[in-house]
Amino acid sequence: MRDTRESRLLLVLLVAIAFALITVDIRGGEESPVDGARRAAATVFGPVEKSVASAVDPVGNAIAAVRDSDERHNRVAQLERENAALKARLGSDDRNRSRVRELDNLLKKAGSGQYGIKAAEVIAIGAAQGFSWTVTIDAGSADGIRRDMTVINGDGLVGRVTTVGPSTSTVLLANDPDFTVGTRMEKTDELGFATGQGDRPLSVQFLNGKAKVKPGDRLVTFGSQAAKPFVPGVPVGEVIRVDPSGGDLTRNVFVRPYVGFSKLDIVGVVVQSPRTDPRDMVLPPKPTPEPTVTVTVTPSAAGTPSGSPSGAPEGE
């Protein structure tokens, strides 16, 4: 198309329409009038994304083998046996070894929290459906995935499902600015809300503005009514900075998430919530501090440290 006045006007009009649709979508939330179109797009393009990912993925079938762990989520021993079999099937190259570790950590997290999960692979990233931080996974309604399900990996909270197609789903990541999750602090049980900030740490506001918070404190999800969109006890992150309140009712608390959102690969959609709140059981064990070596110097009777030379050669 030649660069004419009409073509430029058409381009401006299309951009304006795109921004208007994004604004309507964000303000509409779950009742967004374009949600139907988004689901239709997932139905049309989801199988294409999934088939492309399957063509270059040598371990897709192995991950699919644990998709039904929700039916045996409390049988950790069986999951461990399956995991051992998967390790034998996945081969020995570096990438597959890394994915075996991811799958192993995911299964351990699910076992610790008694979460029933559907394992899935990340097959696409991007903002094509109106969000800034999203990924597409190769599991959809045919696999039992529904909107507003919690998504985890072997490190902790990944996000929540926002759009579901027959064979793929879109996940809004926890670091997206539109993402908010209720949190609970380890041991003290102080409640708050964590909000994503893109590639910066999560921002947390505690309900108790005078709550004692310090770097190193750890947070888990508080959980939602009927466990949607969030199940309880999923590790969120660790406090790295606490800004003074400066007379305000709340302080700015910044949390480093456990999940690396830029390198997601294998995830699990929680399709069955735990029978009881796992509390802090899913958090990783704290590192054991190394013992401190103390050296004691005992002075001699002459006022010089024992074992040290007196300064004059013996016999002079």
Side-chain angles (χ1 to χ4, degrees):
M1 178 183 292
R2 291 182 299 173
D3 185 13
T4 63
R5 183 183 180 196
E6 291 78 6
S7 63
R8 289 196 297 271
L9 287 175
L10 178 60
L11 177 61
V12 171
L13 179 60
L14 291 174
V15 171
I17 293 173
F19 275 109
L21 288 174
I22 292 173
T23 302
V24 170
D25 183 32
I26 293 175
R27 291 182 176 177
E30 295 186 4
E31 304 300 328
S32 170
V34 300
D35 190 54
R38 192 161 52 225
R39 287 196 297 269
T43 301
V44 173
F45 296 109
V48 177
E49 292 176 329
K50 186 171 182 178
S51 62
V52 170
S54 299
V56 297
D57 181 9
V59 297
N61 292 334
I63 294 173
V66 296
R67 284 251 169 95
D68 295 326
S69 67
D70 58 307
E71 297 177 0
R72 50 185 181 277
H73 68 285
N74 59 340
R75 295 158 62 181
V76 178
Q78 184 169 348
L79 288 174
E80 290 176 346
R81 289 194 297 271
E82 290 179 351
N83 193 26
L86 285 169
K87 289 179 181 179
R89 293 172 56 188
L90 291 178
S92 59
D93 62 89
D94 289 343
R95 172 166 169 74
N96 283 345
R97 281 199 297 268
S98 174
R99 305 190 82 198
V100 166
R101 287 193 296 270
E102 288 188 50
L103 184 59
D104 184 59
N105 292 335
L106 172 61
L107 293 176
K108 287 179 179 177
K109 277 285 186 291
S112 298
Q114 298 294 286
Y115 306 126
I117 64 168
K118 296 283 186 180
E121 292 180 80
V122 173
I123 58 175
I125 60 174
Q129 295 179 346
F131 297 109
S132 299
W133 292 82
T134 62
V135 295
T136 301
I137 59 175
D138 65 343
S141 58
D143 305 294
I145 308 301
R146 301 290 180 267
R147 184 170 179 167
D148 285 334
M149 285 183 169
T150 309
V151 182
I152 66 174
N153 71 357
D155 297 318
L157 179 67
V158 171
R160 64 179 176 86
V161 176
T162 56
T163 306
V164 181
S167 59
T168 62
S169 300
T170 301
V171 177
L172 179 67
L173 302 181
N175 64 335
D176 187 275
D178 287 335
F179 188 99
T180 299
V181 58
T183 62
R184 180 180 57 77
M185 190 185 298
E186 180 186 16
K187 295 182 180 178
T188 66
D189 290 345
E190 292 286 356
L191 302 181
F193 293 95
T195 302
Q197 297 193 113
D199 55 4
R200 295 180 295 162
L202 306 177
S203 173
V204 178
Q205 298 289 330
F206 285 93
L207 299 184
N208 178 9
K210 297 181 179 180
K212 294 181 179 180
V213 187
K214 64 183 184 304
D217 287 340
R218 305 189 297 178
L219 305 176
V220 299
T221 56
F222 176 65
S224 308
Q225 185 175 8
K228 286 190 176 182
F230 303 110
V231 295
V234 179
V236 175
E238 181 176 310
V239 175
I240 57 173
R241 192 172 90 242
V242 181
D243 289 350
S245 61
D248 297 332
L249 295 177
T250 59
R251 290 168 294 172
N252 291 322
V253 178
F254 298 96
V255 171
R256 180 178 58 242
Y258 288 120
V259 171
F261 298 105
S262 62
K263 50 184 180 182
L264 291 170
D265 188 3
I266 298 173
V267 299
V269 182
V270 181
V271 296
Q272 185 171 347
S273 59
R275 294 188 179 94
T276 58
D277 188 340
R279 306 294 294 176
D280 303 328
M281 294 179 60
V282 192
L283 282 167
K286 287 189 174 182
T288 304
E290 296 183 1
T292 304
V293 178
T294 303
V295 178
T296 304
V297 178
T298 305
S300 65
T304 58
S306 65
S308 64
S310 62
E314 191 174 336
E316 289 188 5

